[in-house]
Every structure is written in structure tokens, then in C-alpha cells.
Amino acid sequence: MIRHFFQIAWRNLLKRKFYSFINITGLAIGMTCCVLISLYIRNELSYDQYHVKKDRIYRVLQTFRSVQDGETLSSATPGDYQVWGCAPVGPALQADFPEVEKVVQFMSPVSLLLEKGEKRFQQDNLLCMDSTAFDVFSWKMLYGDPRTALTAPNSIVLTHTVAQKFFGNENPVGQMLRVDSQYSYMITGVMEDVPPNSQFTFNGLISMSTVRKYRAEMFDWWGYVDFYTYVLLKKNTSISSLDKQSSSFVKRRNSGDKGYAISFEKMTDAYLHSAAKRQPGPTGSLLNVYLFSCIAVFIMLIACINFMNLSTARSLERAKEIGVRKVLGVRPSSLMIQFLSESILLSLSAAVIALVLAQASIPMIGKLSGKDLSYTNFLTPLLPFYMTAFAVVVGLLAGIYPAWFLSGFRAISVLKGKFKPPVEGVSFRKVLVVFQFTLSVALIAATAIVYSQLKYVNRHDLGFQKDQMLVLNFEGDEKVQQNIEIIKKAIADQPGVVSVAASRAVPGEFLPNAGTQIQTPQGQMAEQAPFIYEIDFDFIPTYHIPVIAGRPYSRSYTTDSAQAMVINEAAARLYGYTRPADAVGKKFDQWGRSGTIIGVVKDFNFRSLHQAVEPLTLRYGYSYSLNRISVAIKGDNVPETLAGLRKTWSQIVPHRPFLYQFLDESFSAQYEADQHFGQLFTFFSCLAIFIACLGLFGLSTFMAQQRVKEIGIRKVLGSSVSGIVILLSKDFIKLILIGIIIAVPLCWWAMDKWLQGFAYRINVGPLVFIEAGLIAMSVALITIAWQSVKAAMGNPVQSLRNE
């Protein structure tokens, strides 16, 4: 019987090739989208899951809030904590809590000049890490002993990619690398590259004992922040014990800091579920995962709706077949099984096509999403089983209503020729069309909002000059620092150079916080922890940062380099000054330097537009604290200017490579994840709209065929082509208008949630929804009009002869 059902199903597919093509194409594209989106979501959910002991690894979150005398530390919110903290907390936790098996700490990434013979590379993302790293994390060592690799000072473990740059495929353990032209590090191991689905993004590990060798004292400072701390709990223990005792632990260990508190976070929650600041690596968006999950469901629903609409609309074609079968004794349940068999066969055919399309599309989706979506993650042994199950479920979902609808026809009415499709079937089809275009309009509007926000981000006035700004990276090289003014002058003398400045960091880069006391309007010294830029005399004028009160640093004042500070408007407000001019002349105390505030600059976006402008101090930086040289250049002959700078650099700094980046490009890199989201969102939205139009095309074609005689009679009676097209289109237009009305509030709500991730955002007005509605209406009308015009221009004689 089952074989008979599938034979009949196959014959029906071949008999109605056009509608079978539309159904299979819609289902195939829908399934392809679902497979690709599921692959993307699976990648997002897999971050840090490769660690064998992941369920026992927790991060220590720390907060350093300012609490004045007489105040108490209220309960902190998740957003108050940061992953970046002090060093003493790790050993103290291990000493005080028997539940802690291991503690591993690492510092902020550094960039070092590595040399071996003639090979020389400026290698970024190197971490100083404890020797317990390989006991806690599941990183595979290719060469060397993981138990001792990070024990001795001046030891370094390279990743496989970095090791290959210097040594090819040979084992380099025991060989020496020259570091920053003054130190020698021994290679004690080579490990596999860190998986791409990891919050850790380093290229090598340096033993923490190397840092202790030169700066042992900072490992005892609770106020010095530059460490990330992870703890591994013993088996059969719970983090709740540490959570409950965290307050008493802090009071016991760091009673002098009333604003200090700690918390714990599961390592596997770091990528998608963490609200903590100062993350050690990339973070994802749980909202994006939900959005793409919804898009996958929407696309599949749209494809299934197409199937339902076409199957129920073509009910008259199969009415007699159903009537004859019922007269011959076929039960309604058997008819339902037959129609479901047709649906499942269609779905299985679509699944085969979807597998081929998905495999071919993986590289493109990987590029759009910026993720490493490999074939190995796609081609699993269980893939055929999953796809078959998925196809059966889709077939049942798409076919259950048409099967119930068709099997319910009354045999007597059908065979007497008195059968008319039930009104509820027509109404249900209208509901499905409305649902389709509700989703389509919402997706069009959402895509427009996403791109408008990204355009706004790229064009927003940041408050400083980032165009035609070249940043030379010398990563704190002592020889460069000692001759910084000579090097700046040599660069400034080059044709095409407008001005030159030096600083510890540039806008868009990592900044430290600094415990800073500033005199309040009441005359008291209040301590806060604003961000800090260490800059030279030329930084503010080179970046064209407006000074709105007081003055910038100047060589004309001998005290500016030791007893002066410039702050931004946000910092002035933080210390109680509503008028920036009132902060000028007030006392400050910061990192061993005291003096007066000489100026206030206008707030500028030194970080991503995801965050509001935060309090900032611009401190004069001595040469030993500088890492970057900013060069403002003319835009008329950039290649020639770069060539001249490269030549000058090789003459005055021959021991370092000429490393540069354009500030606008590096600053825009902060929005790379947003750009990938926009591209991926647009791609799948377009496919969803295409599937909806595909179904509409099939439905309008069928409707035109059903009304061919009516069209012929109207033409004979003098109706124009335009009048007939309007007649055939107006029912669809009404449904699309209803879809637009429903889509607007739904889309506004969803995109308002997404826009909340930006401190600086566009205002979503009615225009974007009007445009989305017009686009959807235009696409739908074009889809319908092709068949409508074709039917309207047909020869009425031929249509009236048809019987």
C-alpha cells in the first residue's frame, strides 16, 4: 500500500511539473537556509566547548567601584563587573578554598618583535600565562612537555602557525628566539593553534615567571589591574560555596578597598551570556542567535505555506479523483496517508537538493558571517539521518492541512459536478498569504534598519580626525622611545606629512583605567577610575580634538609635563562639574603625579559607538610609556608618502619593521561583527522574500488559469487589459496591505531590542516601514502582474472554446 501511495505521488509530481517545481524549489531553498543557519548557530554555541574540564572552569569577575567615606558597597549588578582584575585574588582563592584545584592567570596580550636569524616578525597576541595553563585548558602540545613548558623564566610556547614561520615543520624546542632586540627566550613547546570557536585568540604563551623576574611586586598589589583569573574546581564540588563566601573573603583579604568585590562566571557562558566588561577575547550576541533562529523558522514556514496554498488552491483539479476513490471504498484516513505521502516525497526531493546547495554555500556563508564554517562540521555520519527526519517533519507540516482538506470532500457532490471549494479553505489561504507578507515586510524593514544603523556608525562624527591618519606601531621599543622626538621630526619633514604625535594608544584601542582623585566643587578630593590616555604635546592638535575650556598641553609651560592634566566633559561631569570651565584649575592626584587641571576637551568617541563616551583623562606621557606614532598625512599622493615614510623609518629605526595602519580602517574594525551580521541578515531575508514571491507567483498563475473564461468574457464585453490586471491583483493587494499593518509593530519591537546594543543609534521613524511596504508591494505586484498581463492579453476566443 505504501509503495502504491508513493507511485501515485510520483505520477502527480510528473503530471503537474510547474507546481511541483515551485513547491520543491521553495522547500529546497527553505531547507538550505535552515541547514546553513543551524550550522552558524551551532558554531556560536560551540565556543569554549572543546575544553575537557569546561564544566569545572570558572572565571573570577572583579569590580573596582568608587565608594566614598561613610558609604557601603551595595550589591553590584552584572554590568559592574569586569574580567580584567588584579593578581593576588588567584593565589588567595586557592589558599582559602579547598574546592579550588588549580588557578591559572594570564595578562593582557602583548606584541613583541621576534627574531631568528634573518627572519623577523612583529608578533601580536602573545600572553604571559601561568604554568598551570595546560592542566586547566585542553590545548594540545605538539612538541615539548606541557607540565614544564611554562615554568622557567624566559620560556615561550609558540602556536603551530607561528612556529612554522620561523622553523617550517621541524621541532624547534630548545632553540632560542631574540625578543625586542634585547632578550633571549627559549622555545619550550609548540602547541596546536587555538580553535577558532574560542574566546582565547593568542599566538603564543610566555611563562608568567618571566614577568615575576622583572616586576614581582605587582603580584601583591590588589589595586594593580592587568590579570585574568580562572579557577578549576575539584570534582563533585560546587561554585555556590565560593559565591556565598565571596564577601567575607574580600573583607579578609582586601579590607582596605570598600569598593572591591568579586563574582564567578562559568567559562562556557563567556561568549554569549556574559555582561562583564574587559573581555579577554571576542564575544557573541545571544540576540543575534535568537534572530537567526527566528529567520530559519520563518523561512521554513513561508515555504510550507506555499505548499499549503498551492495544494488547497488546486483542490478542484483533484476533486473528481477523490470522489471516485471514495466511491470505490477508500477511507478518508487512507486518502490522508496518500496526500501526506506526496508531501513527504516532495520534501525528500527538496532535502536532496538542499544538501547539495548547502554544501556549495558554506564558503559564502562563512565569508558573510566571518566564521570558520568548515565542511567537517557539516558532513557528519548522522547527517543523512537528520536530513531525512527533517524532511519528513517538513513534509508532514506542509501536507497535514492539505491532506485533511482534500480528504474531506463529499463524493456525491463532486461526482454530480455541484462541488465548490469550502469557504474556510479560501479564507485559510488568505490568512497564510497575509502571514507570508507580514514576515516579508518585517524582514525588509529590519534589513533597512540594520543597514541604516551601520551607515550611521560609519558616518558619525566621532569628534576627532580619523581620516588620513596613519598610525605607526613600535610597541614600546626602548630605542624608539629614547629617540622619539628625533624620529617624530624626521617623519614630520617628509613631503605629504601634516603633523606628528606620539601616545600610548590611539582611538579604538585598549585603554587602562586609573585611580584618580580630583577636587570636587565642594573642595573635597573624590576618587574615581576614569580611562586614561598617555599622550605628548602634539596629540590633541594632531587629532583636532576641540578644547572647550582652558588649554591643551604646551611646550611653553614647563610644568605641563609633570603637574598638569586634561580631561574630557564626561570626566568633568563625573566629578560634579556641569560647566566644564569650572573644572579648570582644580587639583588632581593620579598615579604618583599631582597638579592642576589645565583644560577640558569636548567629548569624543574614543571607543566604539556601542558605548557612550565615558570619563577620560589625557595625561602627559613620558617617552617610556609611548607605543604609537600618529601621522596626519595629505590625501593627494598617499602611495608616495608611504614610500617616503618607509624609507625614512628604515634609516632611523633599522632594527624594526615598518608597521602601520590607517586609523579609519582599524577603528571601523570594531564594527566587523555588526557588518557580518548585516550581510548575513540581508542574505537570508532576501531568500525568504524570494520564497514568498515564488509561492505568490504559483498561486497567481493558478488563479489566472481558473478564471480564464471569466477573463475571456470580460474582454469580449470590452474590458481593458489594465482593468483585468487590477481585477486579478486587487485581492492580493488587500492581503499584502494587511500584512504590512501587522508587520510594522512586530518589526519595530524586534529592531528596537537590537538597536539597544548601540549607545548612538538612529531613530526608527515611519518612513522605513513605508519604504519596506512599498518594496514588498512592488515585488508582489511584479510577481502577480506577469501572469495577470499574460492572461489579460490572451485571445478570448481560445479561452471561451476551452471546455
Side-chain angles (χ1 to χ4, degrees):
M1 183 64 72
I2 297 296
R3 186 170 65 88
H4 170 73
F5 286 153
F6 276 101
Q7 282 180 342
I8 298 298
W10 179 250
R11 290 171 185 170
N12 276 312
L13 290 182
L14 295 179
K15 182 179 179 182
R16 301 171 178 86
K17 296 183 180 64
F18 176 74
Y19 298 106
S20 299
F21 170 79
I22 288 179
N23 276 330
I24 291 176
T25 301
L27 288 175
I29 296 175
M31 288 181 178
T32 302
C33 292
C34 286
V35 169
L36 294 173
I37 289 175
S38 65
L39 196 62
Y40 167 80
I41 293 174
R42 180 182 174 187
N43 181 78
E44 291 294 279
L45 297 177
S46 69
Y47 269 70
D48 297 318
Q49 297 292 329
Y50 64 91
H51 296 287
V52 175
K53 303 172 184 177
K54 61 181 182 294
D55 294 330
R56 295 192 284 137
I57 303 174
Y58 289 82
R59 310 194 300 179
V60 181
L61 306 182
Q62 304 174 58
T63 181
F64 301 85
R65 291 181 295 167
S66 298
V67 177
Q68 306 303 321
D69 292 338
E71 294 181 353
T72 58
L73 180 67
S74 59
S75 58
T77 62
D80 292 327
Y81 287 94
Q82 61 185 43
V83 194
W84 202 45
C86 59
V89 68
L93 285 170
Q94 188 159 25
D96 289 12
F97 296 99
E99 296 92 339
V100 177
E101 180 178 325
K102 297 279 185 181
V103 172
V104 59
Q105 294 181 306
F106 58 91
M107 300 180 69
S108 302
V110 296
S111 179
L112 300 175
L113 181 63
L114 304 182
E115 297 177 85
K116 182 64 178 179
E118 297 297 320
K119 295 180 180 179
R120 181 176 61 176
F121 299 99
Q122 183 72 36
Q123 190 60 60
D124 57 358
N125 279 342
L126 299 174
L127 299 181
C128 295
M129 188 171 284
D130 282 336
S131 59
T132 52
F134 294 98
D135 297 326
V136 177
F137 305 118
S138 300
W139 297 322
K140 183 180 178 181
M141 190 76 85
L142 301 176
Y143 301 110
D145 187 348
R147 295 170 298 179
T148 60
L150 294 174
T151 303
N154 291 18
S155 299
I156 185 169
V157 174
L158 303 177
T159 59
H160 179 62
T161 298
V162 176
Q164 275 194 319
K165 292 196 297 187
F166 289 99
F167 305 99
N169 292 320
E170 67 175 278
N171 181 359
V173 172
Q175 298 200 47
M176 306 298 292
L177 279 178
R178 191 74 175 155
V179 178
D180 282 348
S181 304
Q182 55 182 328
Y183 307 107
S184 292
Y185 285 9
M186 176 179 284
I187 300 173
T188 54
V190 175
M191 59 176 285
E192 284 188 344
D193 290 347
V194 181
N197 56 341
S198 172
Q199 243 212 344
F200 299 97
T201 56
F202 59 85
N203 294 309
L205 301 175
I206 301 168
S207 62
M208 189 69 83
S209 56
T210 307
V211 184
R212 286 182 179 273
K213 179 180 176 181
Y214 299 102
R215 295 194 63 189
E217 68 281 356
M218 70 180 181
F219 288 86
D220 299 321
W221 294 343
W222 287 85
Y224 183 84
V225 179
D226 197 20
F227 293 83
Y228 297 92
T229 303
Y230 287 65
V231 297
L232 174 68
L233 299 186
K234 293 179 180 177
K235 292 181 179 179
N236 303 318
T237 59
S238 172
I239 196 65
S240 59
S241 175
L242 277 71
D243 264 326
K244 291 176 183 177
Q245 301 179 60
S246 61
S247 296
S248 59
F249 166 79
V250 169
K251 290 178 182 178
R252 184 170 62 251
R253 288 288 189 167
N254 188 25
S255 58
D257 188 351
K258 296 180 181 180
Y260 179 72
I262 66 170
S263 180
F264 300 93
E265 182 177 71
K266 200 169 185 179
M267 186 190 67
T268 50
D269 289 342
Y271 183 70
L272 286 176
H273 303 278
S274 180
K277 301 173 183 176
R278 297 288 195 172
Q279 296 283 347
T283 57
S285 170
L286 191 61
L287 177 60
N288 289 357
V289 170
Y290 288 144
L291 283 174
F292 282 116
S293 299
C294 290
I295 288 176
V297 173
F298 291 164
I299 288 175
M300 209 61 251
L301 284 176
I302 289 172
C304 291
I305 286 170
N306 285 348
F307 185 92
M308 293 180 190
N309 276 338
L310 285 176
S311 297
T312 55
R314 288 169 42 232
S315 58
L316 282 175
E317 292 184 4
R318 306 196 66 176
K320 289 186 178 180
E321 173 195 344
I322 295 166
V324 171
R325 286 181 179 275
K326 283 196 169 185
V327 169
L328 294 176
V330 178
R331 291 174 298 177
S333 59
S334 296
L335 285 172
M336 284 193 69
I337 293 173
Q338 177 193 329
F339 295 133
L340 285 174
S341 299
E342 294 182 16
S343 176
I344 291 172
L345 181 61
L346 257 170
S347 184
L348 289 171
S349 302
V352 174
I353 299 172
L355 281 174
V356 176
L357 292 176
Q359 186 170 359
S361 303
I362 287 175
M364 179 186 66
I365 297 300
K367 184 177 180 181
L368 290 177
S369 65
K371 304 292 182 180
D372 182 24
L373 304 179
S374 62
Y375 288 110
T376 54
N377 293 332
F378 175 70
L379 299 173
T380 63
L382 293 176
L383 180 62
F385 170 77
Y386 289 144
M387 282 303 296
T388 301
F390 180 47
V392 171
V393 170
V394 169
L396 291 173
L397 177 65
I400 190 69
Y401 175 75
W404 171 81
F405 179 79
L406 294 172
S407 62
F409 288 175
R410 296 182 62 188
I412 296 175
S413 299
V414 169
L415 296 177
K416 284 183 176 181
K418 298 180 180 180
F419 172 75
K420 292 184 179 180
V423 175
E424 60 267 22
V426 177
S427 300
F428 186 66
R429 281 201 304 276
K430 291 181 178 179
V431 170
L432 294 180
V433 171
V434 168
F435 183 73
Q436 275 187 321
F437 274 88
T438 297
L439 297 181
S440 298
V441 173
L443 289 173
I444 292 172
T447 302
I449 291 170
V450 168
Y451 267 89
S452 296
Q453 176 62 24
L454 296 179
K455 184 179 178 181
Y456 173 83
V457 164
N458 288 326
R459 296 186 178 183
H460 181 72
D461 182 10
L462 300 175
F464 65 91
Q465 179 183 330
K466 67 181 177 70
D467 297 324
Q468 305 303 327
M469 185 67 72
L470 198 69
V471 179
L472 307 182
N473 178 1
F474 62 89
E475 288 296 347
D477 186 292
E478 290 185 11
K479 294 181 180 178
V480 178
Q481 289 173 337
Q482 292 166 2
N483 299 283
I484 190 68
E485 291 302 324
I486 297 173
I487 294 171
K488 281 176 57 182
K489 185 178 185 308
I491 292 173
D493 290 340
Q494 292 299 306
V497 173
V498 179
S499 60
V500 184
S503 58
R504 179 177 178 177
V506 295
E509 291 186 331
F510 181 86
L511 291 178
N513 297 90
T516 306
Q517 290 186 336
I518 292 180
Q519 187 179 13
T520 66
Q522 294 75 32
Q524 300 173 338
M525 296 297 288
E527 183 171 358
Q528 300 287 347
F531 288 108
I532 177 173
Y533 262 126
E534 293 187 86
I535 63 175
D536 68 355
F537 291 111
D538 303 307
F539 186 87
I540 292 175
T542 295
Y543 276 89
H544 297 287
I545 302 172
V547 179
I548 59 174
R551 61 176 178 81
Y553 290 107
S554 172
R555 292 182 176 86
S556 303
Y557 297 86
T558 57
T559 57
D560 274 12
S561 61
Q563 300 174 14
M565 177 186 286
V566 176
I567 62 175
N568 70 347
E569 292 175 279
R573 290 192 296 269
L574 179 67
Y575 288 94
Y577 296 100
T578 55
R579 293 180 63 250
D582 293 340
V584 177
K586 295 299 186 287
K587 296 178 182 179
F588 78 88
D589 190 340
Q590 181 191 72
W591 282 3
R593 188 183 300 178
S594 300
T596 58
I597 295 173
I598 62 170
V600 180
V601 298
K602 186 176 179 62
D603 281 344
F604 64 97
N605 295 100
F606 56 92
R607 301 175 74 200
S608 161
L609 293 181
H610 284 282
Q611 296 97 22
V613 176
E614 297 186 66
L616 174 71
T617 62
L618 295 100
R619 168 190 174 106
Y620 179 82
Y622 296 130
S623 61
Y624 59 77
S625 65
L626 305 177
N627 290 319
R628 307 283 189 269
I629 295 176
S630 300
V631 185
I633 63 174
K634 298 176 182 177
D636 51 356
N637 200 341
V638 176
E640 186 176 325
T641 302
L642 283 174
L645 289 173
R646 187 185 301 275
K647 182 179 179 181
T648 300
W649 185 266
S650 64
Q651 292 172 351
I652 57 178
V653 192
H655 66 286
R656 288 198 67 85
F658 180 68
L659 301 175
Y660 70 91
Q661 58 186 357
F662 286 98
L663 184 62
D664 56 346
E665 295 176 356
S666 61
F667 197 88
S668 297
Q670 298 178 104
Y671 310 111
E672 186 176 359
D674 298 311
Q675 297 288 351
H676 286 307
F677 168 78
Q679 293 170 357
L680 205 60
F681 191 91
T682 303
F683 175 76
F684 286 119
S685 296
C686 289
L687 286 180
I689 295 163
F690 172 76
I691 296 171
C693 289
L694 192 66
L696 193 61
F697 178 76
L699 198 57
S700 62
T701 301
F702 181 78
M703 293 302 184
Q705 290 176 352
Q706 289 295 104
R707 302 178 71 174
V708 65
K709 286 193 174 184
E710 176 190 348
I711 294 169
I713 292 171
R714 288 180 179 276
K715 288 199 71 175
V716 169
L717 295 175
S719 292
S720 64
V721 172
S722 60
I724 293 173
V725 170
I726 293 172
L727 174 72
L728 295 174
S729 304
K730 67 179 182 180
D731 289 338
F732 288 111
I733 293 173
K734 292 176 183 177
L735 300 179
I736 294 167
L737 288 173
I738 295 172
I740 293 171
I741 294 170
I742 298 173
V744 170
L746 293 176
C747 180
W748 181 89
W749 175 82
M751 295 316 296
D752 183 67
K753 293 288 185 184
W754 181 75
L755 287 170
Q756 287 176 9
F758 293 87
Y760 300 87
R761 48 181 283 185
I762 60 171
N763 293 318
V764 181
L767 182 61
V768 67
F769 297 107
I770 294 173
E771 291 175 347
L774 290 174
I775 292 172
M777 183 73 73
S778 301
V779 172
L781 286 176
I782 292 171
T783 304
I784 298 166
W786 189 82
Q787 280 298 331
S788 300
V789 171
K790 182 180 176 182
M793 295 184 69
N795 188 342
V797 176
Q798 296 297 326
S799 61
L800 293 175
R801 280 180 181 175
N802 180 39
E803 186 60 54

